[in-house]
Structure formats: C-alpha cells, structure tokens
Amino acid sequence: MRISIALRGWRGTLARISQELVRRPAEDDSLDMLPVGTALGELALPTSKVPEVSIVIPVYGKIEYSLACLHSIAARPPGMPFEVIVIDDASPDDTVAVLSNVGGIRLLQNKTNLGFIGSCNAGAAVAKGAVLIFLNNDTQVTQGWADALVRAFDAFPGTGVAGSQLVYPDGRLQEAGAWVFSDASAWNIGRFESRRDPAYRYAREVDYVSGASLAIPAKLFADLGGFDPRFAPGYYEDTDLAFAVRDRGFTVRYVPDSVVIHAEGISSAAAPDSGMKRFQAINLHKLAEKWQEELTRQPAPGTPLTTIDRQRRRGSILVVDTSTPDASRDSGSVRLIAMMRLLVAEGLHVVFAPDDGHVSERDITMLGGLGVEVVARPWHASIPAWIAAHGADLHSAILCRHSVATQYERFVRRHAPLARVIFDTVDLHFLREERAAVQAGSASLSRQAQATRRQELDVIASADATFVVSEFERSLLARLLPEARVLLLSNIHEVHGRTAGFAGRRDLLFVGGYGHPPNADAMRWMASDILPALRRLDPAVRIFVAGDVPVEQRSELAQAGLDMLGRVDDLQPLTAHCLASIAPLRFGAGVKGKVNMSMSHGLPVIGTGVATEGMQLADGVDVLVANTPDDFASAYQRLAGDEHLWASLSEHALENVRNHFSATAARDALRQAIN
C-alpha cells in the first residue's frame, strides 16, 4: 500500500495536473463495476478446502467496499481451486457482524489493530494455497484476473512477484507496474493514461508492483519472512518486498491481462502529514536506508522514462507479418507465436505489427500476455510511422514473407541503420507456386511463380539472415545463393503426447483451412478420389476435416462425404479417436504444420511425398507415404490391422517432434540470427 510521491520534472508535473483536471465520468461502464453501498443480495463464494490459490484481503471498516470486492470475486472467480481469507483489523464498525454472514470465506479477527502489514502476514500464515494473492478491499476484480497472475509464474520462469494492471473506476490507468529511482522515490508507469493503449498492455519486468493486487508463491513469501514489519502499519512494504525478491534472483513482473479496479485512497484517505498517510514519508526514508546499496544501481531522479525503458531492455525487435497470428488458424501462427515467446525469454522487447492493420482487443491481450507489444491504430498511424519514430532503438527487424519484406526492408535500412534485417520466408513461396503451376498445367501461374522467385531471392541476398523451415529449402538456397546466410528455423511444437492407445481407433483426420491453396486442392482430392478408394475397403470410414472452410465449399465437400468440423480449438479428442492423420498434399513447400501437429499428439500420419519432405521422416518408420488414392486406402487398411506398426509410428512421431521441431532448436537459430 503506497503511492508515488515524486513527479519527474516540470513537464511531467504539468501533464499530470492537466490529466487530473479533465472532466471524466465517475465510472467507466465498460468495466462492469458492482455498485458500492447498495444491497447486492446474499453472498457465498465458491471456495475450496484444498485451494491452489489463497486470496488474502485485509479490511478495516469501509464494509460497503469489502462487500463489493467479495461480490466481484464471486462473480469472476479464479479458474482453479481457491480460498479467500479476510482479516478484520479491529474495525470500528459492524464489519465482523456483516462478514460473518458471508459464505465461503475464512474470517480472521485481529484483537488489536495491526495495520496492513500485520494483517497480510497474519492471513498468509494460515493460507493453504501454493500461491498467495494479496488484494485490497477497495478493489473489484475482472474476468480472468487471478488466472493471469498465476499463469505468469509458468509463462515467465524466474518470476517471484506478479502484479495486476490497476485502473481507476473512471477507466484511466492507475498503474502498469512502477520504476524506482536512486532516492527511493517511484513512478507509476502509465498513470492516468488510457488502459487500452498497447504500450501498457504487454507483460514486462518492473521494479515493483502495487500490493493492491500482488501474487507471490507462498513458499517464497515465507522464506522472505513476509512483509517486513519495520514498514508497519503500511506504505512501501510492496516496494520493499519487490527489492527482497529481486535480491534473491527473482524478477517482478507486471501482468496486463490481470485487470483490477482500485478505488485508490479509500482505505487511507487523509492529509499527507496525518493519519495513515504520514507513514508514507516515514517509510520512504526506511526504504532508502534498508536498500541503500541497491538503490545506487537505480536511475537518478529525473531520468526520462524512455531512457529507463531502454536501459532495462537488451534491445527491441520489430516483427512484421501479413496479419496477426492466430494459433487456432494455421501452423505459421503457432510458429510465429513460439518465436516471439522465445525472443521475450531472451530479454528482448518484442513489438509485433500486422501489415493488414487488423488487430482485435483479443489479439492485443493474447500477445501482451506473452510480453509482446502490438503496433495498432489508433495508437500508431502506420508501420512506417512507428519505424521512423523508434528505428534508432531497434536491435533487429524480422520481416515475415516476401510480400512484407519487399515493402519494409529499405525503410528499416533507412530509419534503423544499426538494426539487423532478418527475412523469415515462412516457406519458400516460389517453390510452392512452381509446384502449383505444374499441378494445374498453368502458364500464368508459372509466370507468377517466376516473379515470386525473383522477389524472394533478391530479399534473401540482401538480408542479414534468412530463416527457412526445412533442410530441403536450405539446401536449395545453398545452390541458388551460396553467399546468403540461411538458417533453419522450422515449425515449433509442444509435444502433447498420446492420450489413448490403439484399441477402438478408426477414421482419418485432416487439419487445415480451405484458404490455403494446397489444402483446398487436398480437400477436393479427398472428396473426389481418396474417400471412394477408402470406402471400397471399409464402407464406414470417415475423414474429419478440422479447419475453416467457406460455406459453399463446406456444403459441397460435406455432400461428397467429408465430415466438416470447422475450426477446432482442441484437437485432442480427435487425435485420441482417429486411427491416423491424412496429408494428401499434391503441391506446397516448407514443413507442413498439419503433419507436425498430428505427430505431436502421437497420431501416425499417412501423407504424400510433398507433405512429408524435408522433415527427417522415413516411410514405414516415421510415417506412411502414399501418392495415389489406392496408396492411401492400402496404407489405412495396413495400419488398421497392425497394432505394432501403429504403436511404432506413434512413438517415432513423438520422437521426431522432440528432436527436430522443439523450442530448443528454434532458440539456437534465433540466437545466431540476432547476435
């Protein structure tokens, strides 16, 4: 419980004064706040006797705020088992009597007033959860707030404390973490700015987060001795805890997708030199004395915030692709998201910009939760405008696909002369187009493929490094452009593993959307030739298609016998039921994500030579290769009658993903490119 008391220079002072004077609504309706001081009905929280998370709420009077806080938790509970511990700090009103009627909470009563620190430590002492979340009683929580805090400890290994995005009831941003200066004063990042600005919506390391909504592993909190009693009754105990956590080698992280509304000052409103607030100045001096040596490494008072940001980062990397990645849409998105996650783990500030300019609130939240900042309108006019403004800070720019690279490479060279330009082919488009032209027998497609070849090879020749997804493509470029620096960075997949054995399996699974030409061709081929060949051997066999397909084509393909499922968020039930995955691609390039995805679940693959090329796969060992409809039918029949073969293919599939499509292999390629 603390407040920032040092404004950084006259410009910062004037800016904050002007923001305070702007007329704003008392509440932001989009926050869906519960009314304070209004009867909200009976209250019982869905808590557990075996919690994973313990929510600790100290209270002192202001029962109307405490009830609104508890009602908000009941309306938006954590997604894991939890308990709520409320510590009454000898309230002078009827708080205890009222809270005694609330179901599902553990109510502790201090015999004497212990203050914020004493109450928090008392609650933590009886907590059963592995993670503690300290929450002020003058807050209201939003959907997913607790899950995001807990998720941060796994998503960002080494995190010791995680804190929420705090917003005022009127919707303005209160805090996106904070920086501490060498005199122990602090600056709340983003204070009074828009909470929707992507600049404040990506997870990052900070100096400290507010105790108004703060999560910490229970064991670490106990090892540190809890909140330091010397800061009793309150103020700067959260800053002190953050310094103690960082002194142990852990990090403090701001978690933007955990949004908590905080009526700051309700519980301690008073003049700065009286009441509770007088401890603000007292404890600032205590903090400066306790962490005197560590504070010498903090920035000097008056240091511009942009300078602090720059000093705390290893560097900034701009990533541009045609559109915002969606892991449920295509394997390229899965790969790009994994790449950006790895770059964040390397300590880099990652900024993503979609060339088509389309970014949803969900996209900003998803990428921000990974630690990725998003360039989007209206916050940035365009990608060139962002590059012109921030080019001097760029360490590297990763330009995905030749259509993006040809637009922005020269602009990056001009405005970010020190940045490394990295071209991510995603797959060699010219190779895919050449094969499509041959398949279709089209002279116009052949001419288009030649134009794409010239564009891609020009970009590869001028880039500082180029990523390809298969050894086949790397070998091809070694012949075409021997001087180019080409690195293998293939698909990146988590190994999900098998959830069911051979018994009872049947049918085939195809993963892919119709919008990708090789997939559209494969679906038509399955409907017209492959499924009839299969049904000559097994009349009941089905092919399930998991992916986006336009309504007209979906109806046509369904009539032909394919089971059209649309986009499927969770493939596990299908991979547990189907006998195999089918990949009947007749043209294409790169590594096929549908093959990787199926193999990551231990599901054997029956695919064409095009579908399985460049993936270190051997026919009959890792996959079954089929190039005609009758080949697919024979392979399915063979697999259905041979449990040993199925188990062997399944195990080798998992091993292939571990060995060739892991995050470790991708990390090595990224390090080579950016260093």
Side-chain angles (χ1 to χ4, degrees):
M1 202 163 76
R2 55 89 200 94
I3 187 170
S4 176
I5 65 171
L7 297 179
R8 300 296 119 203
W10 64 270
R11 288 187 180 88
T13 303
L14 289 177
R16 291 203 169 178
I17 291 174
S18 65
Q19 288 167 326
E20 285 282 25
L21 293 176
V22 172
R23 293 181 62 86
R24 299 176 185 274
E27 291 184 2
D28 180 343
D29 291 341
S30 68
L31 290 172
D32 196 23
M33 288 186 65
L34 299 172
V36 176
T38 301
L40 295 170
E42 293 185 4
L43 176 59
L45 281 75
T47 51
S48 169
K49 293 183 179 180
V50 189
E52 296 176 16
V53 172
S54 297
I55 302 171
V56 179
I57 307 175
V59 303
Y60 178 73
K62 302 293 182 181
I63 184 59
E64 65 276 18
Y65 284 91
S66 299
L67 287 175
C69 175
L70 292 171
H71 271 284
S72 75
I73 297 173
R76 299 132 191 171
M80 70 287 291
F82 72 101
E83 66 175 346
V84 174
I85 303 169
V86 180
I87 309 94
D88 177 70
D89 198 19
S91 295
D93 58 9
D94 60 349
T95 289
V96 170
V98 173
L99 292 181
S100 296
N101 293 317
V102 175
I105 69 170
R106 298 173 65 189
L107 180 60
L108 305 184
Q109 298 178 54
N110 296 338
K111 293 181 179 179
T112 59
N113 186 276
L114 301 180
F116 181 83
I117 290 175
S119 295
C120 285
N121 286 344
V126 301
K128 300 176 183 178
V131 175
L132 304 173
I133 300 180
F134 295 100
L135 188 69
N136 276 18
N137 72 320
D138 56 353
T139 61
Q140 291 191 31
V141 303
T142 65
Q143 193 66 43
W145 71 284
D147 303 74
L149 288 176
V150 175
R151 191 164 55 240
F153 295 104
D154 289 328
F156 302 98
T159 298
V161 161
S164 300
Q165 181 190 84
L166 300 180
V167 299
Y168 289 106
D170 65 12
R172 291 176 301 166
L173 180 60
Q174 185 179 120
E175 177 187 311
W179 300 127
V180 176
F181 297 90
S182 58
D183 63 353
S185 64
W187 184 273
N188 299 117
I189 299 169
R191 194 174 185 88
F192 302 135
E193 300 294 339
S194 170
R195 64 188 173 90
R196 300 187 185 278
D197 189 337
Y200 305 112
R201 293 177 63 184
Y202 65 93
R204 72 194 82 178
E205 289 186 28
V206 293
D207 285 339
Y208 81 94
V209 292
S210 169
S213 178
L214 178 157
I216 184 172
K219 183 179 185 305
L220 177 58
F221 188 73
D223 289 346
L224 294 171
F227 286 118
D228 190 338
R230 79 183 75 182
F231 293 93
Y235 284 117
Y236 287 96
E237 73 290 329
D238 43 14
T239 314
D240 171 71
L241 181 69
F243 270 79
V245 163
R246 293 193 290 133
D247 191 53
R248 292 287 186 97
F250 294 95
T251 59
V252 177
R253 191 164 299 273
Y254 159 64
V255 182
D257 45 343
S258 171
V259 179
V260 171
I261 307 153
H262 183 210
E264 185 181 45
I266 289 296
S267 58
S268 58
D273 58 350
S274 64
M276 179 68 181
K277 284 205 170 183
R278 64 192 173 89
F279 290 99
Q280 190 174 331
I282 294 171
N283 286 350
L284 174 64
H285 294 298
K286 290 181 180 179
L287 184 76
E289 290 178 359
K290 179 177 178 180
W291 298 104
Q292 182 176 2
E293 181 179 345
E294 288 75 8
L295 286 167
T296 62
R297 295 188 285 272
Q298 296 296 116
T303 302
L305 301 185
T306 54
T307 300
I308 298 175
D309 274 339
R310 193 178 302 115
Q311 290 173 345
R312 296 302 176 91
R313 299 167 177 166
R314 181 183 162 196
S316 294
I317 290 189
L318 173 67
V319 179
V320 187
D321 200 355
T322 53
S323 60
T324 303
D326 180 349
S328 67
R329 184 184 64 215
D330 57 76
S331 63
S333 292
V334 174
R335 174 176 174 270
L336 183 58
I337 290 170
M339 285 171 57
M340 291 192 287
R341 192 193 299 269
L342 289 169
L343 290 168
V344 170
E346 291 289 302
L348 293 156
H349 173 219
V350 180
V351 180
F352 175 77
D355 183 47
D356 64 8
H358 296 152
V359 183
S360 68
E361 281 290 305
R362 177 179 174 273
D363 294 330
I364 296 173
T365 299
M366 182 274 293
L367 291 174
L370 301 178
V372 177
E373 182 180 0
V374 176
V375 172
R377 291 189 291 268
W379 315 106
H380 302 283
S382 65
I383 296 174
W386 189 93
I387 295 173
H390 300 277
D393 295 332
L394 273 185
H395 175 284
S396 302
I398 299 178
L399 308 177
C400 305
R401 306 173 210 270
H402 74 284
S403 58
V404 167
T406 53
Q407 285 187 75
Y408 298 111
E409 182 194 5
R410 292 181 182 176
F411 204 83
V412 172
R413 296 288 190 196
R414 185 182 314 125
H415 293 279
L418 300 180
R420 299 178 62 79
V421 175
I422 301 166
F423 174 38
D424 182 16
T425 62
V426 182
D427 61 34
L428 286 176
H429 286 49
F430 78 79
L431 183 61
R432 170 158 46 85
E433 291 177 0
E434 286 174 354
R435 290 171 171 176
V438 171
Q439 177 68 30
S442 170
S444 63
L445 288 179
S446 181
R447 288 191 295 272
Q448 175 60 45
Q450 291 306 306
T452 301
R453 172 187 276 253
R454 288 191 295 272
Q455 289 180 340
E456 281 191 297
L457 294 182
D458 284 347
V459 175
I460 292 167
S462 61
D464 295 305
T466 295
F467 293 140
V468 294
V469 297
S470 74
E471 188 59 51
F472 175 85
E473 292 181 346
R474 183 162 67 172
S475 297
L476 174 62
L477 291 178
R479 296 194 300 273
L480 297 176
L481 293 171
E483 300 301 318
R485 188 174 184 223
V486 180
L487 302 170
L488 176 61
L489 199 165
S490 198
N491 288 353
I492 308 168
H493 288 274
E494 177 185 351
V495 179
H496 299 283
R498 289 183 301 272
T499 57
F502 175 79
R505 287 180 178 267
R506 59 174 297 106
D507 304 323
L508 292 164
L509 171 65
F510 177 85
V511 181
Y514 197 86
H516 189 47
N519 288 343
D521 176 75
M523 290 183 204
R524 291 192 294 267
W525 193 30
M526 285 191 296
S528 64
D529 298 317
I530 296 176
L531 186 58
L534 284 162
R535 285 184 170 171
R536 284 193 289 270
L537 298 178
D538 181 354
V541 70
R542 303 162 71 185
I543 299 178
F544 297 97
V545 176
D548 285 330
V549 179
V551 174
E552 183 179 344
Q553 285 79 15
R554 183 171 180 167
S555 176
E556 177 184 323
L557 293 166
Q559 289 175 12
L562 302 186
D563 284 68
M564 311 303 296
L565 305 178
R567 186 179 298 190
V568 177
D569 292 330
D570 183 7
L571 290 174
Q572 188 276 323
L574 288 165
T575 61
H577 159 81
C578 290
L579 179 72
S581 173
I582 184 171
L585 303 181
R586 294 190 282 188
F587 62 92
V591 170
K592 311 309 181 293
K594 58 176 54 59
V595 175
N596 290 138
M597 181 61 72
S598 298
M599 295 175 73
S600 74
H601 286 272
L603 184 65
V605 173
I606 305 172
T608 60
V610 170
T612 57
E613 74 177 1
M615 299 177 65
Q616 295 82 35
L617 299 172
D619 183 21
V621 177
D622 307 293
V623 296
L624 295 180
V625 176
N627 289 307
T628 69
D630 287 339
D631 288 345
F632 278 99
S634 296
Y636 179 82
Q637 186 179 49
R638 177 186 172 195
L639 195 58
D642 191 337
E643 180 175 357
H644 176 76
L645 174 62
W646 187 93
S648 177
L649 290 173
S650 176
E651 193 57 42
H652 284 128
L654 294 169
E655 185 178 349
N656 177 269
V657 176
R658 290 189 197 101
N659 291 341
H660 302 292
F661 302 101
S662 67
T664 300
R667 184 183 297 110
D668 292 341
L670 284 169
R671 286 174 175 171
Q672 290 181 58
I674 65 179
N675 292 330

